[in-house]
Amino acid sequence: MAEYGEQPRMGFFTDTSVCIGCKACEVACKEWNEVPGGQDLDLLGTSYDNTGDLGANAWRHVAFVEQPVPPAPPAVELGMPAVGAPAPDGDAEDPGVRWLMSSDVCKHCTNAGCLDVCPTGALFRTEFGTVVVQQDICNGCGYCVPACPYGVIERRESDGRAFKCTLCYDRLGAGLEPACAKACPTDSIQFGVLDELRERADERVRDLRGSGVPEARLYGRDPEDGVGGDGAFFLLLDEPEVYGFPPDPVVPTKHLPQMWKRAAAAAVGVAGTLVVSFLGRRR
């Protein structure tokens, strides 16, 4: 189990199969963390989603994905008389649509690119294993923005500093669960010890597949992925791209140590060549 001091690593498991799109998590996050509202709301005209994406003023974002339901295979004609009322005319053959809903949030990566590139130490890893921005230290350089493989962190236009989910660090210190998880009426957002959440998620996927949902899968659960596993991971009912997630996220700084070693080796080689050349000219 990953531990930070005496405290096990904490995180989120979001089970999108039971998300109803109520947006209680968005509201609770804004209210508790005093995230500005209003200016980030937009009638996008494509769905009931009115925030569009995560950002400095949207630390939680409930995605609404509308998908057409594939038509059922034609019934086999058995030559028996029909029983019941006749089928209505019109769009009776149209199977309709289904909604895929998911409450997105900062992933609190094991290998966090935003944390690696911050020049001021404004970003730090807490005793709970989460990644938090210290607003009184952030200088608004913006290096963290392109370093996030998920496009989560963003600078706020009103003051230039970077903002994102803190996993309610102040609440965790007081022994409380994050506001979004507390407000979720279906337990779609589950908070707890990360290793325990992973076990719970594995069992949930097995249950769904056993009950006829073969497309159920976990996203961000694998500690061997390109970010070392996410502190906030998801159960999805379709490909990650459908929900707006990158299919194979990789932290940009993953190969930074090897790059520095190669750069150092090259510098040593150049210096050695110069020394040999200088000594040769003296002779």
Side-chain angles (χ1 to χ4, degrees), residues 9-264:
R9 185 178 180 185
M10 310 299 286
F12 284 131
F13 163 47
T14 301
D15 183 351
T16 69
S17 69
V18 295
C19 178
I20 59 175
C22 67
K23 294 180 177 286
C25 55
E26 285 191 13
V27 175
C29 175
K30 282 182 174 291
E31 287 186 344
W32 180 264
N33 295 290
E34 299 182 345
V35 179
Q39 69 270 28
D40 61 309
L41 299 180
D42 190 13
L43 298 178
L44 302 178
T46 56
S47 77
Y48 293 104
D49 181 359
N50 55 13
T51 48
D53 206 349
L54 293 174
N57 296 330
W59 298 3
R60 271 278 177 189
H61 165 239
V62 178
F64 286 72
V65 180
E66 183 178 332
Q67 289 184 325
V69 177
V76 178
E77 180 59 53
L78 299 177
M80 301 293 290
V83 177
D89 297 330
D91 297 331
E93 300 301 322
D94 184 2
V97 298
R98 73 165 179 170
W99 288 103
L100 297 179
M101 300 174 184
S102 173
S103 180
D104 195 9
V105 71
C106 171
K107 313 307 181 292
H108 295 274
C109 309
T110 300
N111 302 319
C114 60
L115 183 62
D116 291 339
V117 302
C118 181
T120 64
L123 279 145
F124 76 104
R125 192 174 296 279
T126 73
E127 66 271 29
F128 302 101
T130 58
V131 179
V132 174
V133 184
Q134 299 175 92
Q135 300 306 330
D136 57 336
I137 299 178
C138 178
N139 66 358
C141 68
Y143 292 170
C144 55
V145 176
C148 175
Y150 298 103
V152 168
I153 195 166
E154 185 182 54
R155 295 167 62 195
R156 186 171 292 166
E157 292 184 5
S158 60
D159 66 10
R161 294 176 297 171
F163 292 84
K164 72 172 191 68
C165 162
T166 67
L167 218 145
C168 286
Y169 182 45
D170 54 344
R171 291 177 64 91
L172 300 192
L176 303 174
E177 66 178 327
C180 57
K182 182 71 174 178
C184 181
T186 64
D187 280 338
S188 172
I189 302 172
Q190 302 177 34
F191 167 76
V193 177
L194 186 58
D195 287 346
E196 295 176 1
L197 291 176
R198 287 171 173 168
E199 294 176 1
R200 191 183 307 169
D202 291 341
E203 182 178 356
R204 175 63 175 162
V205 169
R206 287 192 295 268
D207 290 344
L208 284 173
R209 290 177 177 174
S211 61
V213 189
E215 62 271 23
R217 71 201 70 190
L218 295 178
Y219 179 82
R221 182 250 184 272
D222 185 7
E224 302 300 321
D225 65 13
V227 296
D230 292 328
F233 65 101
F234 302 78
L235 186 154
L236 305 180
L237 297 179
D238 208 325
E239 297 292 340
E241 300 94 318
V242 172
Y243 294 84
F245 293 148
D248 188 20
V250 177
V251 61
T253 55
K254 180 178 181 179
H255 302 293
L256 196 57
Q258 294 90 331
M259 294 170 61
W260 279 115
K261 289 179 181 178
R262 292 171 183 171

